[in-house]
Amino acid sequence: MSRTVSLSSPDGLTVTLRLPPADGSIGMPQFIAFGLSEASDAPFIERASRINGMDDAVASAVLLPTGGMGFFGWPAICGHRSGRDFVLGFCNWTAEESEGRLALAATDTVARMSLRLTLSAHKGGVVSSQVCLTNDGDVPYQLDRCMAGSFPTLAEDATVESFTGMWGREFQTRREKLGTGIWLQENRRGRTSHDRFPMLFVESANQRFGVALGFSGNHQIVIDRCDDGRRLVHMGELFEPGEMLLDPGESYLSPLAYAGADSAAFHSFVRQELITWPGDVMTPRPVTLNTWEGNYFDHKVASLKDQASKAAELGIERFVLDDGWFARRDDDTTSLGDWDIDTTKYPDGLAPLVDHVTSLGMEFGLWFEPEMVNPTSRLFETHPEWVLQVEGRPLRLSRHQLVLDLTRSEVADYLFAKIDSLLSSHDISYIKWDMNRDLTHVGGRDGKAATARQMRALYGLMDRIRRAHPKVEIESCASGGGRVDYGVLKYTHRVWTSDCTDALERLEIQHGASKFFPPELLGAHVSASPNHQTGRQLSLSFRSLVAMAYHFGVELNPLNMTLPEQDELAQFIALHKRLRKLLHALGTQFRLDPVDGRYVWGAASAERIAVIVAQGSQMVGEQPAPLRLPTHITQFGGRWRIADRTPQQPDFIRISEGQSDLLAGKIDFSLVSLTSAGLPLPMLRPESALLIELEPTTGDPDHG
Ligand code: GLA
């Protein structure tokens, strides 16, 4: 008899599986249903299949197919013992169902391997899958591939929405129709990457769900079409050749593969479960000044102190000292790895600046790039053997730097000691943890690939620092958004979304990133105009409103601003502080797909709705489409009006009398009508934005 088991996440996804019969039959758990709870009632009826005349039809839509024995699709787990045991077939399946957890186990008595598969329900309605594979034999097993999980689509035409890009242009949304062949994404950069994010959505007429791999290293995502027309979305780690050799008794533990119904589910999971805050709760996200674009390597204590004083005056709450503070670091060619304070720039050490910042009531943050070393550094001179390298191959520089082999305990201990000593001797409550190059040759001390071990060693180092300094928050940065994923977010609290601070570029970058990450974790800074990456000139109002809903910050030298500019920025900071509870934690978020260059996003509660409308390129339409809000926002019901707008004089191309009255709050409307009729807002000029705040009309008996 086969057993049917299931895992349900409250208000979220359900996975129902049928285990192979316990009569010694081999196979993997077959998907009966996957999706929101209605799917779990689907009847299970064995299908007849005509696969090239095989007498037994082998189930095709299974969790982690192993390949061979009549399965002709893409195997999600495979390996061998010097060429033998190349077919895996698991039997004797057992299942333990407990609250929010389904633990499955099986053995392969021929290839002598055993498998534990854990499906878990997470807050927000997200489910995850993780695999542990053990070598029960007495000779090593070469594991070539072991995906963390598979999730099935319905048998209908489907589209994949994935995120690509490059440095400074991350999270560009790409939609492709899935065909009969395999859809494949492989990341070999050794960090999450700017171009192949381990997360995507799959959409068909009757289903939409997202998947995300909780891992920052090399990965593989494969969407394979099964014989029955369904598709399997597999995701897991990508191994280098020979990298994952399991000695007798040794196990491989995969990262977690997550699936969720929509962005709201993912946001809620990240907020409620993935991130661990100092003190267990997220404090209001401090408005940040990052010194990079305002100073680069030119650190002058007197000026930095003045910038800090000005920042405090503007309402800034956290001061982050970026690259350039350690000895001989006058450009990006030297000194990574040394981590000794530059006594030329800081004759009395960092303490005077740290104390100055904290005495102003601001937090102090410090930049590190722990995994890296410049060949021009004392560390490299002393320990050239500490870098990842492949014997006989040239060392390949990127941004003049090499990568330290964190799998060597002496390297991890050295880095821990350096960071620990700085954190212990100063009032530092924030680390910007940067990582500015791809890994090109990850050879460990034994001459073998060490990509997987390096990744785990990095998490280990982050974890050690978190434990030693539980009050410190960490930002994950990798040349901007090169390490933004659910693996690193277990140890960090914010990501630097992109090195591009141009607000126009940020519209699309932030739109894509917000599909998987709540806005309060995405760093968004107001920087100088002309912008340092693109040379574009943008108004302070546009720059501020584009950053408004995110983890708001400033990345310029405030002393270079005119007094009116300082005043304007201070007003935007005050506005952000007034709205951040709504925009971050309290509100229900929404985000519309951009139409005709117009981006719309915001958050709503029963008391207030904040809507940001930003016009990127010039509109093609004669009139903008009325602003329609999604039903999960209009369900607040009742009659509302526009209570406030920023800026007071938005950059409209033309405005009618009715539109003026609407913006002045003289016209109220039923919120439900915004789903269909919408608000006829005037057309904004390109590269301008508007924030409107809606509030219920007081005294309305219908207001729900
Ligand atoms: C990377 C980061 C920037 C900045 C520089 C410093 O490019 O993404 O924000 O910290 O390094 O070198």
Side-chain angles (χ1 to χ4, degrees), residues 167 170 194 290 292-293 296-297 321-324 326 329 331-332 336 367-369 399 401 432 434-436 475 477-482 496 498-501 525 555:
W167 172 82
E170 302 86 341
H194 294 85
N290 185 292
W292 180 238
E293 287 192 21
Y296 294 109
F297 296 102
L321 187 67
D322 210 287
D323 198 354
F326 46 100
R329 184 73 170 170
D331 56 35
D332 63 8
L336 287 174
W367 182 93
F368 287 95
E369 197 181 351
R399 208 193 187 207
Q401 58 199 55
K432 177 173 173 184
D434 209 340
M435 197 284 195
N436 282 316
E475 169 175 27
C477 172
S479 320
W496 181 224
S498 175
D499 265 355
C500 183
T501 54
H525 295 174
E555 189 152 339

Side-chain angles (χ1 to χ4, degrees), residues 383-396:
H383 288 295
E385 76 285 7
W386 277 13
V387 298
L388 290 168
Q389 53 198 305
V390 181
E391 221 183 296
R393 305 282 173 203
L395 288 172
R396 231 173 245 291

